[in-house]
Amino acid sequence: MPKISDTLWELAAAEVHNRVSGASEDEGEGNGDAPSPYERTVFFLGNKTGGKTTVMLRCLDRDEAAKPTLALEYTFGRRARGHNTPKDIAHFWELGGGTSLSDLIQIPITAQNVRTLSVVLVLDLSKPNALWGTVERLLQAVQAKVDGVLSKLQKTGERRSDRNPTLNSTPQHLHKDHPDRELISPFPVPLLMVGSKYDIFQDFESEKRKVVSKTLRFLAHYHGASLIFTSNKSESLMSKTKGLVAHLAFGTDRGKIVSTDHSKPLIIPAGMDSLSQIGSPPTTDIDISSLHARNPLDLWKKVFERVFPPESTGDLKELRNPARDPQFREAQIDSMRSQKDQELEQYKRNSSKSWKGMDLDAEPRGQRS
């Protein structure tokens, strides 16, 4: 009997499984209670060179060196939930270039996967000045796309919300008596915020660490996200990060460890924090009343950017072209490209000279008296 929560793909997979199970039972080897496989999509994005690829490879148990991500890349992972059961599939997308290639966010988010989509936002803790801008621009771009897809589904009359309520409107992480249910703005899909390069961040001044940690706690709680600090030099932290990603990708247990001590790596699953525990924005020489904030999110932003002024975005347009990005340099290819560019310029100059040398004032043939 189909369940209300089944998607079309799950129903099809269940039908195939039932047929295979029926054939196996006839041979005395069947297991009619085996679960049907699931497919989920996990979208990695965040700071440029912030460690997205490293986190993703570790979560896929791939022992290979991370390479710079060019634009948008795809891979997948599979995991069985038990013995002799179909393997669940997780589709992994990774956006390169930080915020400079945010237009590509449109590609991995579709009507077919939006209900099983999760986002992993990797933030480079060693570059706090780029932190708020990265969070703001990338999450706004993802939310706009998700909202657009859902709006189209509603207009076309597809009742996916009735068939598959796996779209996580984060209040599910907050119990009905949680005091912050009406004070946060949940992200439309499950969100995990990963603070990378903790090995560098831990050497920051105590007050700066506190500002970054409290701000990320607020942002994560405000968006209904999980938060973890990690480092590729710590097996323990990478293992905990892998567990949270596996929860999104394969539905495994996300764990119950909670760490809110700002002097240690933060580990806070969604719904396990509160505004009262986070406290007010960490200000020392700033008069909050003078900031004229429109809402709590705007207040935290103004306080954070007083401590860590945002980076200039003047170079972002140049980096939208990967050919200009120094991390993708290839000596032989760049040399050939330079040669071709010179040939093109020479061709343009020669063409210009030939046009100038033409006698444009001469009378056309057939018009002489």
Side-chain angles (χ1 to χ4, degrees):
M1 177 68 68
K3 303 187 295 295
I4 294 178
S5 62
D6 287 337
T7 65
L8 180 60
W9 286 109
E10 290 166 349
L11 290 171
E15 178 64 22
V16 172
H17 173 71
N18 289 336
R19 293 181 181 181
V20 174
S21 298
S24 300
E25 288 173 354
D26 291 339
E27 298 174 2
E29 300 175 357
N31 181 9
D33 296 328
S36 301
Y38 286 89
E39 290 190 32
R40 296 177 174 87
T41 299
V42 183
F43 192 7
F44 280 77
L45 32 77
N47 290 106
K48 178 184 174 184
T49 67
K52 300 182 294 296
T53 305
T54 299
V55 172
M56 186 173 67
L57 290 176
R58 294 294 294 271
C59 293
L60 290 171
D61 293 323
R62 296 184 183 175
D63 186 15
E64 57 187 83
K67 298 179 181 179
T69 302
L70 177 60
L72 187 67
E73 295 189 5
Y74 167 84
T75 188
F76 70 93
R78 298 189 298 171
R79 174 177 294 189
R81 278 175 280 170
H83 183 62
N84 288 335
T85 60
K87 290 185 177 180
D88 295 336
I89 300 174
H91 304 279
F92 288 85
W93 290 88
E94 181 186 358
L95 178 70
T99 60
S100 64
L101 299 176
S102 58
D103 289 348
L104 297 180
I105 284 174
Q106 307 286 323
I107 297 174
I109 305 174
T110 66
Q112 288 71 36
N113 68 16
V114 69
R115 298 291 176 176
T116 56
L117 173 72
S118 300
V119 171
V120 178
L121 182 61
V122 181
L123 302 167
D124 189 342
L125 295 176
S126 70
K127 300 177 181 178
N129 297 81
L131 189 152
W132 192 284
T134 299
V135 173
E136 189 172 57
R137 285 191 287 271
L138 292 179
L139 290 190
Q140 284 179 355
V142 172
Q143 181 155 4
K145 177 60 177 178
V146 170
D147 289 345
V149 171
L150 294 177
S151 177
K152 288 183 179 179
L153 287 177
Q154 292 177 351
K155 290 180 180 179
T156 56
E158 295 189 40
R159 302 186 58 181
R160 291 176 179 264
S161 59
D162 294 336
R163 299 176 60 82
N164 185 7
T166 56
L167 177 66
N168 293 279
S169 55
T170 307
Q172 66 175 344
H173 294 307
L174 300 183
H175 57 78
K176 62 181 181 180
D177 297 326
H178 197 290
D180 301 338
R181 283 182 64 89
E182 304 300 325
L183 302 176
I184 65 175
S185 179
F187 204 62
V189 297
L191 174 63
L192 168 61
M193 298 174 65
V194 178
S196 64
K197 302 184 182 180
Y198 181 77
D199 54 300
I200 300 176
F201 177 71
Q202 66 182 350
D203 294 330
F204 280 24
E205 296 177 7
S206 176
E207 283 302 313
K208 289 187 176 181
R209 289 203 314 271
K210 183 178 180 181
V211 171
V212 172
S213 297
K214 290 193 68 173
T215 300
L216 284 179
R217 281 184 67 183
F218 171 79
L219 284 171
H221 184 62
Y222 183 81
H223 292 293
S226 296
L227 174 65
I228 186 169
F229 285 1
T230 192
S231 167
N232 61 359
K233 297 182 180 180
S234 170
E235 286 297 325
S236 175
L237 291 178
M238 288 302 298
S239 177
K240 293 179 175 64
T241 305
K242 177 181 175 180
L244 288 175
V245 174
H247 171 69
L248 299 177
F250 301 105
T252 60
D253 184 9
R254 66 178 182 178
K256 299 180 180 179
I257 298 177
V258 178
S259 174
T260 59
D261 187 344
H262 298 144
S263 64
K264 300 178 181 178
L266 298 181
I267 306 174
I268 311 174
M272 301 299 290
D273 212 342
S274 68
L275 295 176
S276 61
Q277 292 176 342
I278 297 170
S280 59
T283 59
T284 52
D285 55 350
I286 303 174
D287 180 7
I288 292 183
S289 62
S290 66
L291 296 179
H292 305 293
R294 296 167 294 177
N295 50 54
L297 185 65
D298 191 39
L299 175 62
W300 278 84
K301 178 181 179 179
K302 290 180 181 297
V303 171
F304 183 82
E305 292 186 343
R306 284 287 186 92
V307 182
F308 299 105
E311 292 183 334
S312 172
T313 58
D315 298 331
L316 290 180
K317 293 183 179 180
E318 282 294 309
L319 294 181
R320 292 178 68 86
N321 182 357
R324 298 178 180 273
D325 196 326
Q327 72 171 324
F328 300 122
R329 286 175 178 167
E330 292 284 351
Q332 293 182 343
I333 296 176
D334 292 343
S335 176
M336 181 60 69
R337 174 61 186 268
S338 177
Q339 178 183 333
K340 293 299 181 182
D341 286 342
Q342 292 176 7
E343 292 175 359
L344 177 60
E345 290 302 319
Q346 184 62 42
Y347 174 78
K348 289 179 179 179
R349 286 194 293 269
N350 292 340
S351 297
S352 176
K353 291 179 181 179
S354 63
W355 276 102
K356 290 179 180 178
M358 293 179 65
D359 185 6
L360 299 180
D361 294 332
E363 292 184 31
R365 288 184 178 181
Q367 295 188 10
R368 294 180 180 177
S369 55

